[in-house]
């Protein structure tokens, strides 16, 4: 694996943190900003550890990255379709709508995400979120070990659960966490273990991870270390073998996981821009959740420290083409979503004056 622009960093234009006193440091490889601009896209990144949604775009006039962040209580899974950005947080899933319509405002932002609707779910530990074929939301209800959708009258409506989970219970029995969609329908999910007791997955973090076919309920891959973020792209099923720091594909015929690249961090969050994979990296926690995973041995062998950021990996070669790194207040990421067609997005928060003055008419 080779890394381009290892020692060079791109200029970064950062919006000051709203409330944090600790440093919020963003660095990038030299060509990251130009690659992002040329791809006609931007990124949305969630970090529940520091309660931030971070929007990464490009400011062509200034020749640097644009970094915009908002405080949202424990944001996790996200999904983007057309002009809507769904963000799962502590007790709700909020749909933000782009009110700018591609027209740059006075500050030069070409997207303005405004909170428009919210479904209050209670604290379900929602992980991956996706838009279904009907435009509704499908999400991984990790607390109840099932896939679910939002409800107008209840916290959620269950859609599916793994065959090895005997009943719905608020016990996080297998740590169901990832969701891959096909044609607007759930296709594959990831779980840390095939366990059916409260918190049972924690005893199988190193090699108990599975990928499950939703339609059949069959296990299509076993032996993974805390897998996350399954995605279907270019006819292949991609998965992050998070506890080993690997991105790769699942050979559905043989059931084997085929690694493409090693990334120095705990992996969560995966999306694609053309042939490039966007992979979120986190620094392992100093507790039992990440202890004893293969990742630690890989980091020691590579003589590197864990990083927090986003790697842009060329899926044709496994090379890291570009990278983005966070230091300071942000050391864990949960999800990474590409925002195609948006160069420099911003977001209206819930507690500032802008939300009172931003009005749109249908």
């Amino acid at each position: 694996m080779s890394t381009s622009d290892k020692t060079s960093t791109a200029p970064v234009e950062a919006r000051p943190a709203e409330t944090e006193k600790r440093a919020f440091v963003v660095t990038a490889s030299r060509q990251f900003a130009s690659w992002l601009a040329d791809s006609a896209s931007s990124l949305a990144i969630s970090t529940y550890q520091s309660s931030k949604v971070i929007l990464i775009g490009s400011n062509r006039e200034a020749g640097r990255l644009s970094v915009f962040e908002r405080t949202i209580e424990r944001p996790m899974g996200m999904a983007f379709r057309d002009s809507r950005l769904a963000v799962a947080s502590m007790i709700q899933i909020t749909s933000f709508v782009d009110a700018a319509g591609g027209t740059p405002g006075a500050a030069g932002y070409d997207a303005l995400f405004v909170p428009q609707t919210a479904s209050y779910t209670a604290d379900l530990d929602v992980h991956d979120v996706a838009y279904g074929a009907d435009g509704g939301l499908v999400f991984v209800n990790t607390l109840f070990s099932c896939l679910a959708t939002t409800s107008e009258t209840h916290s959620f409506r269950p859609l599916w659960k793994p065959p090895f989970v005997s009943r719905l219970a608020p016990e996080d029995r297998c740590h169901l966490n990832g969701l891959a969609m096909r044609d607007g329908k759930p296709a594959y999910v990831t779980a840390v273990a095939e366990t059916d007791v409260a918190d049972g997955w924690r005893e199988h973090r190193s090699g108990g991870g599975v990928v499950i076919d939703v339609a059949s309920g069959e296990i299509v891959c076993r032996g993974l270390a805390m897998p996350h973020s399954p995605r279907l792209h270019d006819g292949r099923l991609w998965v992050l073998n998070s506890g080993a720091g690997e991105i790769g594909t699942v050979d559905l015929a043989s059931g084997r996981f085929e690694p493409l690249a090693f990334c120095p961090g705990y992996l969560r969050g995966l999306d694609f821009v053309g042939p490039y994979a966007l992979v979120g990296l986190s620094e392992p926690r100093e507790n039992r959740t990440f202890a004893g995973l293969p990742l630690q041995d890989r980091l020691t062998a590579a003589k590197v420290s864990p990083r927090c950021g986003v790697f842009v990996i060329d899926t044709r070669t496994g090379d890291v083409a570009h990278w983005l790194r966070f230091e300071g207040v942000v050391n864990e990421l949960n999800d990474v979503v590409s925002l195609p067609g948006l160069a420099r997005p911003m977001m209206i928060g819930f507690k500032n004056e802008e939300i009172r003055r931003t009005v749109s008419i249908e």
Side-chain angles (χ1 to χ4, degrees), residues 174-236:
C174 61
H175 205 65
L176 196 73
N177 57 53
L179 171 62
M181 302 286 284
R182 178 194 289 124
D183 300 327
K185 297 181 180 180
Y188 298 96
V189 296
T190 48
V192 172
E194 300 171 71
T195 46
D196 192 30
V197 297
D199 217 31
W201 58 273
R202 292 187 186 275
E203 299 175 26
H204 305 275
R205 296 169 301 113
S206 183
V210 294
V211 182
I212 311 168
D213 184 313
V214 173
S216 67
E218 296 180 355
I219 307 295
V220 298
C221 183
R222 284 187 169 91
L224 301 173
M226 300 189 73
H228 283 77
S229 310
R231 305 287 187 261
L232 287 167
H233 178 70
D234 280 349
R236 291 188 288 176

